[in-house]
Amino acid sequence: MANKMPSIKVIIPNPNESPAVDIPGPGFTVIHQKLELEVDLLRRSLRGKTEITIQPTHAQLRHVRLHCRQSTPSRIHVNGKAPMIQYNNPFDKIRVPENTTVHQWLQLRQKIGAVLKDPTEDLIVTLPRSLPVDENSPPTGLPKITLGRKRSLDDAGLETTTTSNTAAPKSAEEPHTSQFSPIIIEIHFATKSFRDGLQFVGCEEGDPRYPHVYTRNSPMTGSMSAIFPCVDDISARCTWEIAIKCPRTLGDAFARRQSNTLRSSGSSSTESSIDWDQTSRRFTWEDEMRQLTVVCSGELTDEVVDVKDESKKVVSFLCANPVSAQHVGFSVGPYEYVDLAAFREADEDERLGQNAVPVHGYCLPGREGELMATCIPMAKAIDYFTLTYGSYPFSSYVLCFVDDLPTDIVKIASGAFCSTRLLLPLDIQDGIDEVTRQLVDALASQWVGINITPSTPADVWIVVGLSYYITDMFMRKLCGHNEHRFRQKVRSDRVCELDVGRPSLSALGALINLDPSELEFMILKAPLVLSILDRRMTKSGGTSGLSRIISRIILMAKVGDLAEGCISNSVFQKTCERLGHLQLNHFFQQWVYGAGCPRFTVTQKFNKKKLCVEMLIRQTQAEHKQPRDLDPKTFIRDIREGQRDVKPAPVRSVFTGPMTIRIHEADGTPYEHIVEIREASTKFEIPYNTKYKRLKRNRRHQERARAASGRDAMGEEQDGVLLYCLGDVLQSDEEMKEWQLSELSKDEEQQMSQESYEWIRMDSDSEWICTVNLSMPWYMFLSQLQQDRDVAAQYESVQYLSNHYESKQSSTHLVRVLMDTRYFHGVRTAAAHGLARCAKEELEWIGMFHLQKAFEEMFCKRGATTKPGCNDFSDRRQYFVQCAIVEAMAKIRDNNGRVPSRIQQSLLSYLQFNDNSKNEFSDAHYVCTLMKALAESLVVEKDGKSYRPHFDDEDDEKEERKIIIEVVDEIDRHRRSDQWKPSFQNVRTQAGLECKRRLLQARVVELGEGVMLRATRPGNYDVLRLKAFETLIEIGKLQDDVVVDYLLHTMSHDTSPYVRDGLRRLMMRELGAIAMGIAKKKKSSGAEEEADGGLVIETEESTQDRHSDLARRQTVAGALTALKEELGGYEPLKDALWDAVKSKDIGMFELRDLLDVCELLYDPQMSLLVKLKLPRYWRAFHLGQAKMQFTRTGTFRLKPAEKFDWSTVGKSTKATKRSVSPVATRKTQPAATTKRQKKEPTVVVVTSPEKPTTKKRKPTPSVRAESVVPEPSKQQPPPLKSKKRKAVKAEAAAAAVEDEEEEDRPAPTPTVKRRKPTPSTKVVIPAPPPAAVPPRPKLTLKLKTGLGLGLGGVGGGGGKGSEGGKKKG
């Protein structure tokens, strides 16, 4: 493979041949593929060979269609025979001419549109006719996997135990038992540069990172076919053999090899020598000796040294389970190995025994500690999945952490490539839950996602939902039930907020390629739908729920009951119905094929006569049809959905199903009632069970009752009932006075005592994804907060008290929740934010006092009100509460929109006196929280708008300016600390840039762009660079000439795909903000306040302005019109955007995004300005010895050519003399005619398309010259040879200095056709195009007969003729 790959000959089949028989489907199945790859880190290239074993399904198979992008096939054989091929590289279509502009975006879009929407096969191999498709016995040892999606599944396919893997349709004449001999297609290929598929990191000169390479797998077609030829379809599953050749060490990879080969004496072998003195010194000697490790899908089978080159090694892998090419990946780099199975508990290891799955971890040098800290739960997770759902489908599991990965995780068979951004050291607590969930989901995808794949795009939600569902089940075991319930409640509320005007869950599968938000929404909603399905199945059938269903599906895939390992909606629904013993048609129609979430409005009334609770439940989701405002984050998604005519699913007026209602009656006993919702308005009566008097609601009331009766407070519980009470802290008189707590008034207590039940809880078992508006008094929500054990119920109560009941009593109970450590930390943090809403002048700033008092009590030194103590983050719950209090304090505003100075001083003191010397955890994120809170406290904000600070009192203004200077200096001090002691992922610098952006938008400070620009430089941390670009875009620098050029250049030429992808998202989001007018409001923020007196001037808008503003905020068409008006004429953006489109570093989907931006801003133009060079005059003179010399002059021909007189063709020289250019006549006319000249051959220059007759004189053959120039020119007489050579040269020299403007039409450009006596041949020399200008001004043509004739085109150049022999006639 060291030799140069030969060029491949592309043969187009003869169109006259009879067309091939149209056969259904692809006509073959892929059963095995073998890969041999050689990776060159130095040149960032790859070459190799692949053998694809296919089995025809039809005897008429003649063409095998494969995917092959970027690679150059060099040699192809089909069973050892050379076939005819057609190769069409999609990347050749995206070449853009230099003279195009951004308005030609539609021409480029049309070229790649078919590739992106409907990927076709790029490489078509026509089987040789000598290779018939014969029937034979089926191959043994190779699984048979069918390519194609055309299949049907019914109940018989589930009930039978026989395996039918062949689902491709067969012809009618062919028996179902017919088999054909397998065909092996061998393809040699090479790729010199990559735009998609493979990512090289640290291989460029000046990059200090460790070099490594990995595959960028993607669910979209085209990712793996950009690396090697294959069938890049998720349905094409086969077994794999992979052999990867790479250098042994890092020094071998970058050693400069000598160009010549050295042969040892007495040996015929050729060896390449390495000049170690010239080895690149970018690495230390220790780094050069680091071994390169190959991580690949499948099981490692062999690792040997290359027999031809000892500096290289070959690592072999085998993937025995059939997987698609999209799930095959590999990586090569100097990785460090960590055995993650060592973290498996001893009892689990003993219980699993040999069934324990090895878990391997690989990372770049120096990050082993972070890898262990991040991946500790992985061994426990794989054991949980194995015992709960079924055996692991592969032999081992590998996690490899790499740089520059665009997404956080890339899932491959038997492993995953993870971004180093996910690595967390032991002293970092922020984000560990979400990182663990992503890693566990990558593991769960090995069961559902890679081993089991979706049958159609409409079935993608099943794979995504099941993977995240079993992930959440493990997270519940790992983090606890309360954490799981709280996360489920938060996600459910988020789905209800987002699922408005969206497609159904089933329809989202075909849209995940449009925008990343489509897949994100599916990941959010799909596991919740499966969760409520599990709840309903568990309650109705008494089964083990969805866990049993998942186990059965995995078993079906293992034994072959799932056709090709694919699952569909029908198979999943029937399996659930069969094992759950219930009908699920209505459920799937509502939650899978429908969209939206129900909104319930509930009213209740206690009927004393009937002793029942009368309830009315109405569904109001159909009434909420108000047009929603567009979101800048999803602006591009809305446009793309409109282009594809994606219609939102109709809003269902009625959702049906069972609902559990829990009524806590007066004796404290909860009674559950299950009602069936079938109509939009449902009214029913719930019986009442308690006949005892109402109990006291908390411990303090019980103590008061005991004290009044004279009994011991610590004695036996009154009435024999023990109530579960939370929030019963701060109950003593001294604490209530110190904390300024308020008790219920007598009227409120009297009203509470008259209630017949404590509270009512709707959907207590979380069987719905819905919002419930329950009309209960606030004290019932308080009872629910104190006595309900469900975390979701507590969170609902805190939300109600924070948003609907802002009072001193509400602040009292919220601060008790905040101080009670028995509450879940998510409920406590929500209570902290609720206290900020109670900080008002009307309430005497009670919420602000409680927040400050709580922070002082828990985190400050004794006796110090604003000086915090030493940080102690060992209690993770307290750490989250501490950060929440700081964030809540920054939200407090007075009636003028300012943060009170007390809060500003407190936050500044917390940051200045922050002490982390005795804390074992990092305080980087906590410091960032303080920095952002301080910056937010300086912003004057009212009703969502920011204003420039103004003070009536000069002393107040000086005080405010003083604290602004102190805050800005403190923020800069912590930002600069990253330069000498970097924080984790430079989070302090990121927070500093965020603070700068917020203060610049609010006009608190004026300068700060320089800090942001310096942070965008290459070499900085990628996340920091994106944050810096985000701040520049947010402050309106997208319309700055220098910044927009720099931004788009980085977006199209940066080596990191993560940076390029992030910049595209930021730019598209900003375009959405500009289209909706949000960016304009941000830019003008702070300038709305008058300098004198702080008067806000509001100009009344006209009706037309209000309509246009409403249209741009709520309709896509109005937003696009406004966007074109804003940026359509901005010339620097045009040039920079089109330069980015023409970049050769971006991939196909990156180009699609840039063309989408062009479509938003500019109207297409189908015309193109073509520039042609003007023709020049040529002069010709005779050099003697049958040689003519043509010289191009500097004069342009500006007049049209005269019409040629065809009547002079074939006449004598005298007759045609008048039609010959004077320049040619003067230089070719002889002085006299000699006897020898009569024996020379006669040359006739013919300009007519008719075939001329050439006069011949024996024995010298004649030469015919025909002109093929479209525009005919005048006839030129044949040159004659003169005996006086000196006279001819003198004449030619004199003619060279004469006047150049002779005639309007120069000499023609003929095509010479030479004919030999035996055999008769014709040599055609085509004329060059008119626009081509030769580099040499003089051209000479020599003919084999000894006669020379120069060729020159009109306005173009000529070419040298072939020099023949000297034989005379």
Side-chain angles (χ1 to χ4, degrees), residues 153-164:
L153 300 175
D154 51 12
D155 294 335
L158 295 175
E159 298 294 340
T160 59
T161 58
T162 59
T163 303
S164 178

Side-chain angles (χ1 to χ4, degrees), residues 255-263 270-276 309 311:
R256 300 180 181 178
R257 301 178 180 274
Q258 297 180 0
S259 58
N260 58 338
T261 57
L262 303 178
R263 289 182 178 270
T270 301
E271 298 179 357
S272 60
S273 62
I274 301 176
D275 188 0
W276 290 101
D309 190 350
S311 65

Side-chain angles (χ1 to χ4, degrees), residues 214 220 398 545 574 584 634 647 714 730 761 908 1029 1143:
Y214 55 88
M220 284 82 77
V398 181
K574 291 175 182 177
L584 297 174
T634 60
K647 301 295 184 181
M714 301 299 296
L730 306 178
R761 177 86 191 284
L908 182 60
F1029 277 114
S1143 172

Side-chain angles (χ1 to χ4, degrees), residues 535-542 615 617 656-663 670-678 682-687 689 760-768:
R535 291 281 185 176
R536 295 190 181 185
M537 292 177 61
T538 303
K539 294 188 66 175
S540 61
M615 301 192 68
I617 302 178
T656 61
M659 176 180 288
T660 302
I661 301 176
R662 182 181 298 166
I663 300 180
Y671 293 92
E672 290 188 352
H673 307 272
I674 300 177
V675 298
E676 190 72 23
I677 306 296
R678 295 189 179 93
T682 305
K683 186 176 182 180
F684 49 86
E685 298 178 351
I686 298 178
N689 300 282
I760 298 177
R761 177 86 191 284
M762 303 295 297
D763 188 27
S764 58
D765 285 345
S766 300
E767 301 171 76
W768 295 74

Side-chain angles (χ1 to χ4, degrees), residues 1012-1025:
M1012 302 174 187
L1013 284 172
R1014 287 193 295 270
T1016 62
R1017 293 180 297 186
N1020 291 333
Y1021 187 60
D1022 288 346
V1023 180
L1024 174 61
R1025 294 180 63 196

